[in-house]
């Protein structure tokens, strides 16, 4: 959309600038020009936002787009459409594609595809090790030059301590962030849900909470050793939150993200062997969930990210232990996270910060994404904070429908999503 | 036979069953036992009904028991052993059962190595399913036959019901669907369950999950127990090195005559079979006709499975 656009009369919440006030946002040629009570140039197109929250478009730093290689699960086009429908304007996509994003040519392919077919911004995450095999480091410098914003072997941990040390060390040359799927393989082997009362009842092999916390503890020691920037993906257990809290208190460059399913559900959701409640890490105990909520409230957990993991129904309509790990989350991220605000865990400002400027800064996204500061790219979400709706898997926009929130009554609905000033999703159409 | 108490389509696990439902099956089984003592061991009750035994895991005892149960009631019984190779061939579990369902059987008896497989099938398909063992989750007909066997011996223990009865389940309860099902069944009937065995071979949080008291010392665990159930040490599943050796296991957790002396007077010994002699149980205990009721369990298994098929085939006011 060229020219001027005025988003009028909404509740503007911009955590990057500590703003929460009723006002207008003026865009010009896809750039934010002014916020508050700007003078409106004649001929400006007006978007009425009365009763809506106007916020920076959400940034989801943990998404699986599945392309290249698994287009039957999801594509860059379908995944970014789901993002737009969820108010997410930037997705960081994980490298466990086929081929793996461990080479600048793959990064280039993803970005090219995103440019041609993507609906929101795509920021690729490169692999830490070639082929995700945990043996040799990737060309982090060249990958960043090609457009990667961070590194992870997500889906698999970097298990070898020596290699993790090298990764954290070498990444410092480029200020790169290492994102760890924290799991000690010898403790998690064979497990297909959280180890606890429910796994005992269901007779399913469990994955103990210690599998995660042991790895986070180890990694933090390696951060001490190297000074590398370290981020725990989808943190799920109390022990890991504790470890991150201690590390941050000591000023180490350690951060973590939590997925909405982990802070809103527990392993009870697996009862009935529901494979849409199967993911890695698994849904944990009530105590773990409470620790995640406390971590969010205390600012130990600074990012909410979905671990959006689309799977075709054939991968899920099988015996529980054979089912693929993962759930989709882009389209339910906002309303499920807003439950934190209703429940008094977080303020509006903090909750939106965890989905906008906090991940944008961790990833070093350029042109001021995740903020409404004048001069930033006009990525925005307009949502009705009061609209109540029921999640229906069949009505999700992405290619795969494997949500663990099917049937959940939620409050908060995306009305419009704008990327660089252009409306990419409109709930009223 | 109290059939009004039974209106379930499937038998998936003991976790679902109320005390009244369990009692109704036990009563039916007790009266059907008489058929197995006749000279002509066949009644026409299930004539025209079809039972398919679909076994994804090796089994001789349970499969034979279900087969005979169906045949003694005149049902047409088909046995299908699905080796794991056909899973590799690419046919999904749902497809396998959907194919059988198209032939309109009345009941499909399923054993599967994955916990929850039968529950998963019951959710997606219409066929009536009997769970003949799923992974390490449940084996309800085993629990029912165990309860029937215990029930038969209550008078010898000077008892009229399960209330307050102490059953020590000894050995590898972690990998045991038998342990889970009997624990749930006994709890429903008012009995008390102990899980006795080495740490690491007991399900996590067993107290909370099953109301079981946990003992790692065999002598303490047997102290005052009315029934001692030895579980098969599933050597084939011991992949992760839960115990250092069979020798050590037997030295500390083997059921011997000396240890059995700690149990209550009149206490008897059960085992779901097949037994590993000299591993979880000594031969002298296993073969002691005064204390061991292992063969009675087998006979009761047949009667219980007849009762279950009878109920699920919807004869006599079932579903």
């Amino acid at each position: 959309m060229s020219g001027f656009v005025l988003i009028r009369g909404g509740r503007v919440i911009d955590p990057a600038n500590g703003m929460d006030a009723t006002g207008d946002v003026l865009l010009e040629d896809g750039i934010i020009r002014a916020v508050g009570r700007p003078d409106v140039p004649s001929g400006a197109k007006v978007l009425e936002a009365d009763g809506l929250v106007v916020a920076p478009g959400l940034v989801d730093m943990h998404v699986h787009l599945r392309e290249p290689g698994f287009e039957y699960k999801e594509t860059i086009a379908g995944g970014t459409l789901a993002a737009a429908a969820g108010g997410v304007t930037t997705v960081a996509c994980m490298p466990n594609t086929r081929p793996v994003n461990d080479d600048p040519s793959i990064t280039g392919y993803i970005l090219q595809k995103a440019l041609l077919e993507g609906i929101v911004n795509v920021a690729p995450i490169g692999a830490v090790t070639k082929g995700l095999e945990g043996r040799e480091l990737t060309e982090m410098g060249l990958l960043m030059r090609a457009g990667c914003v961070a590194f992870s072997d997500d889906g698999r941990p970097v298990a070898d301590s020596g290699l993790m040390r090298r990764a954290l060390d070498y990444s410092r040359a480029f200020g790169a962030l290492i994102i760890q799927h924290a799991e000690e393989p010898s403790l998690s082997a064979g497990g297909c849900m959280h180890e606890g009362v429910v796994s005992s009842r269901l007779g399913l092999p469990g994955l103990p909470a210690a599998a995660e916390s042991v790895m986070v503890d180890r990694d933090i020691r390696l951060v001490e050793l190297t000074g590398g920037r370290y981020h725990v993906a989808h943190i799920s257990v109390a022990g890991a939150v504790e470890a991150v809290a201690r590390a941050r208190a000591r000023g180490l460059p350690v951060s973590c993200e939590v997925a909405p399913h982990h802070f809103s559900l527990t392993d009870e959701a697996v009862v009935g062997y529901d494979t849409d409640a199967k993911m890695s890490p698994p849904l944990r105990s009530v105590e773990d969930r409470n620790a995640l909520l406390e971590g969010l409230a205390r600012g130990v957990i600074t990012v909410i990210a979905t671990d959006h993991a689309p799977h075709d129904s054939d991968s899920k309509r099988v015996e529980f232990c054979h089912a693929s790990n993962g759930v989709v989350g882009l389209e339910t991220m906002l309303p499920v996270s807003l439950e934190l605000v209703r429940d008094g865990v977080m303020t509006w400002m903090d909750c939106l910060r965890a989905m906008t400027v906090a991940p944008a800064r961790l990833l070093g996204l350029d042109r001021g994404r995740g903020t409404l500061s004048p001069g930033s790219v006009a990525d925005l979400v307009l949502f009705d904070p009061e609209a109540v709706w029921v999640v229906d898997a069949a009505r999700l926009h992405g290619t795969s429908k494997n949500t663990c929130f099917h049937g959940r009554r939620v409050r908060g609905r995306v009305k419009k999503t704008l990327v660089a000033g252009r409306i990419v999703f409109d709930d009223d159409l | 036979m109290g059939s009004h108490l039974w209106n379930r389509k499937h038998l998936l696990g003991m976790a679902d069953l109320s005390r009244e439902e369990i009692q109704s099956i036990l009563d039916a089984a007790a009266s059907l036992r008489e058929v197995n003592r006749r000279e002509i061991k066949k009644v026409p009750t299930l004539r025209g009904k079809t039972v398919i035994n679909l076994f994804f895991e090796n089994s001789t005892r349970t499969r034979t028991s279900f087969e005979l149960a169906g045949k003694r009631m005149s049902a047409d019984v088909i046995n299908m052993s699905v080796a794991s190779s056909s899973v590799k061939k690419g046919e999904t579990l749902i497809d396998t059962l959907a194919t059988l369902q198209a032939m309109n059987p009345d009941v499909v008896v399923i054993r599967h190595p994955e916990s929850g497989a039968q529950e998963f099938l019951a959710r997606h398909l219409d066929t009536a399913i009997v769970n003949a063992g799923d992974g390490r989750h449940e084996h309800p007909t085993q629990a029912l036959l165990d309860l029937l066997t215990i029930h038969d011996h209550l008078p010898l223990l000077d008892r009229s019901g399960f209330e307050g009865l102490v059953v020590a389940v000894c050995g590898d309860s972690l990998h045991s669907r038998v342990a889970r099902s009997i624990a749930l069944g006994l709890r429903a009937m008012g009995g008390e369950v102990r899980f006795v065995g080495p740490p690491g071979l007991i399900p996590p949080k067993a107290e909370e999950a099953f109301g079981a008291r946990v003992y790692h010392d065999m002598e303490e665990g047997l102290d005052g127990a009315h029934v001692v159930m030895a579980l098969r040490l599933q050597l084939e599943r011991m992949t992760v090195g839960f115990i250092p050796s069979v020798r050590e296991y037997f030295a500390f957790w083997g059921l011997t005559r000396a240890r059995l002396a700690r149990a209550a007077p009149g206490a008897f010994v059960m085992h779901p079979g097949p037994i590993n002699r000299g591993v979880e149980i000594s031969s002298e205990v296993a073969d002691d006709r005064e204390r061991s009721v292992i063969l009675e369990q087998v006979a009761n298994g047949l009667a219980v499975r007849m009762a279950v098929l009878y109920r699920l085939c919807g004869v006599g006011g079932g579903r």
Side-chain angles (χ1 to χ4, degrees), chain A residues 21-66:
Chain A
T22 301
D24 307 334
V25 179
L26 180 67
L27 320 180
E28 183 189 0
D29 295 333
I31 301 292
I32 294 170
R33 281 297 162 224
V35 179
R37 294 266 171 261
D39 295 327
V40 183
S42 61
K45 181 180 153 64
V46 174
L47 290 179
E48 290 296 349
D50 185 33
L52 304 182
V53 170
V54 179
L58 308 185
V59 175
D60 186 349
M61 69 180 286
H62 196 141
V63 169
H64 297 271
L65 292 177
R66 303 294 187 213

Side-chain angles (χ1 to χ4, degrees), chain B residues 25-270:
Chain B
I25 291 275
L26 298 185
D27 292 346
S31 63
L32 284 165
R33 261 196 300 218
E34 176 265 331
V35 172
N36 297 320
R37 297 188 195 115
R38 293 182 191 175
E39 193 173 341
I40 309 266
K41 301 178 186 62
K42 204 166 185 101
V43 289
T45 321
L46 297 186
R47 196 163 56 196
K49 301 284 181 182
T50 306
V51 175
I52 298 181
N53 284 330
L54 180 59
F55 277 60
F56 293 87
E57 219 179 44
N58 288 335
S59 159
T60 313
R61 307 160 67 95
T62 305
R63 205 213 63 214
T64 308
S65 183
F66 269 108
E67 182 178 357
L68 263 184
K71 285 182 169 167
R72 291 206 171 157
M73 299 176 82
S74 304
D76 295 315
V77 183
I78 309 289
N79 289 318
M80 289 190 57
S81 291
V82 187
S84 51
S85 62
S86 67
V87 176
K88 285 189 190 119
K89 214 188 293 168
E91 188 175 47
T92 69
L93 183 56
I94 286 198
D95 292 338
T96 305
L97 191 67
T99 304
L100 295 177
Q101 179 175 297
M103 300 178 209
N104 204 19
D106 294 279
V107 176
V108 182
V109 177
I110 302 175
R111 169 167 288 190
H112 196 280
E114 292 293 333
S115 300
Q118 289 85 340
E119 210 167 311
F120 160 74
L121 288 169
R123 209 171 46 242
H124 287 97
L125 295 162
D126 288 330
T127 309
I129 292 171
V130 176
N131 180 0
D134 63 321
R136 53 169 89 167
H137 177 225
E138 281 236 40
H139 190 359
T141 57
Q142 176 72 40
L144 290 165
L145 74 87
D146 288 338
L147 289 172
L148 181 60
T149 308
I150 295 171
H151 188 262
D152 289 343
H153 288 80
L154 288 174
L156 299 174
L157 295 163
D158 284 329
R159 291 178 168 264
S160 57
F162 290 93
E163 215 66 54
L165 189 85
V166 177
V167 178
V169 178
C170 303
D172 175 11
S173 44
L174 176 69
H175 296 98
S176 174
R177 52 195 173 213
V178 174
R180 283 174 173 76
S181 286
I182 191 64
L184 294 166
L186 267 165
R187 188 162 66 166
M189 301 308 283
E192 188 190 308
V193 185
R194 297 176 182 172
F195 282 169
V196 187
L201 283 181
I202 307 282
K205 298 186 190 275
E207 298 86 349
E208 211 180 316
F210 305 104
R213 294 188 62 180
V214 174
Y215 294 81
H216 299 309
D217 181 282
M218 189 76 171
E219 276 80 12
E220 272 176 41
L222 294 188
D223 196 49
H226 302 107
V227 182
V228 179
M229 181 182 292
L231 296 173
R232 179 178 158 74
L233 188 68
Q234 303 190 49
L235 296 161
E236 69 277 11
R237 294 188 195 192
M238 291 290 114
T239 51
V240 205
F242 286 85
I243 52 162
S245 74
V246 165
R247 179 172 75 166
E248 174 143 315
Y249 183 82
F250 186 74
F252 290 90
W253 292 283
L255 183 59
T256 58
R257 201 182 285 274
R259 291 202 169 109
L260 191 55
R262 291 289 292 267
F268 56 94
V269 173
M270 302 172 79

Side-chain angles (χ1 to χ4, degrees), chain A residues 119-419:
Chain A
I119 290 154
V120 305
N121 309 304
V122 172
I125 293 173
V128 175
T129 67
K130 289 178 185 160
L132 306 176
E133 285 175 353
R135 286 199 285 269
E136 266 181 275
L137 293 184
T138 54
E139 299 160 317
M140 290 186 194
L142 294 176
L143 282 164
M144 284 188 88
R145 197 178 276 170
C148 284
V149 295
F151 296 92
S152 181
D153 276 0
D154 185 61
R156 298 185 191 180
V158 178
D160 185 279
S161 304
L163 189 69
M164 188 58 161
R165 179 226 176 140
R166 296 294 167 218
L168 285 165
D169 223 356
Y170 185 69
S171 62
R172 288 166 54 228
F174 311 100
L177 182 71
I178 302 290
I179 302 172
Q180 170 76 309
H181 178 126
E183 180 180 317
E184 167 51 46
S186 63
L187 287 172
S188 62
C192 56
M193 73 169 293
H194 174 66
E195 180 176 304
V197 180
V198 181
S199 72
S200 279
R201 279 196 200 120
L202 296 180
L204 291 171
L207 223 144
E212 179 171 318
S213 47
V214 160
M215 192 57 106
V216 172
D217 281 337
R218 180 204 76 173
D219 287 343
I220 287 171
R221 294 299 177 197
L222 297 175
V223 171
E224 276 174 8
L225 178 66
T226 59
R229 294 176 63 216
Y230 173 74
H231 180 83
V232 183
H234 41 52
I235 200 163
S236 73
V237 302
V241 176
E242 245 172 67
V244 169
R246 279 196 309 268
R248 288 173 69 85
R250 290 162 56 213
L252 294 172
V254 170
S255 57
C256 65
E257 72 196 23
V258 65
H261 49 264
H262 285 129
F263 67 66
S264 60
L265 299 172
T266 66
D267 56 353
E268 282 288 340
V270 179
V271 170
Y273 301 93
D274 182 358
T275 56
D276 282 332
K278 187 183 182 210
M279 67 290 283
S280 170
L283 297 174
R284 299 291 190 178
S285 68
V286 178
E287 293 74 24
D288 290 314
R289 178 182 171 234
N290 289 339
L292 297 175
L293 295 174
E294 206 195 317
L296 282 162
R298 286 170 48 211
V300 172
I301 302 171
T302 50
V303 172
I304 296 171
T306 61
D307 191 8
H308 181 84
H311 284 296
D312 55 306
S313 64
D314 288 345
S315 300
K316 286 289 194 181
R317 268 167 54 103
V318 291
E319 302 89 311
F320 191 85
C321 281
H322 294 173
S324 297
N325 280 314
V327 290
V328 294
L330 282 166
E331 296 178 63
T332 47
M333 177 189 204
L334 181 67
V336 174
S337 298
L338 291 179
E339 291 174 8
L340 297 168
V341 178
R342 323 265 183 217
D343 296 342
V345 176
M346 298 178 94
T347 62
W348 282 95
M349 188 80 82
D350 289 342
C351 183
L352 286 171
R353 178 181 291 116
M355 293 184 278
T356 55
V357 67
R361 283 190 185 150
L362 270 178
L363 298 177
L365 297 180
D366 59 354
R367 303 186 70 200
R369 292 216 147 85
T371 153
L372 300 181
S373 301
S376 303
V377 178
D379 293 350
L380 295 111
V381 58
L382 279 61
F383 64 91
D384 179 344
E386 301 306 326
V388 172
W389 55 291
V390 175
V391 178
D392 178 357
R395 301 190 63 163
L396 295 177
H397 292 75
T399 304
S400 293
K401 316 291 182 189
N402 50 310
T403 174
C404 54
F405 293 118
H406 178 70
R408 192 181 183 95
R409 215 175 113 89
V410 293
R411 194 142 63 119
R413 188 169 177 89
V414 174
K415 302 307 285 183
K416 286 184 174 56
T417 306
L418 282 73
V419 172

Side-chain angles (χ1 to χ4, degrees), chain A residues 61-111:
Chain A
M61 69 180 286
H62 196 141
V63 169
H64 297 271
L65 292 177
R66 303 294 187 213
E67 187 175 356
F70 302 98
E71 287 82 357
Y72 62 99
K73 291 180 188 285
E74 190 52 280
T75 58
I76 288 170
T80 54
L81 176 62
V88 179
T89 54
T90 299
V91 295
C93 57
M94 285 295 175
N96 56 344
T97 46
R98 192 167 61 203
V100 169
N101 183 14
D102 61 359
D103 186 281
S105 64
I106 310 299
T107 310
Y109 174 83
I110 292 167
L111 287 172

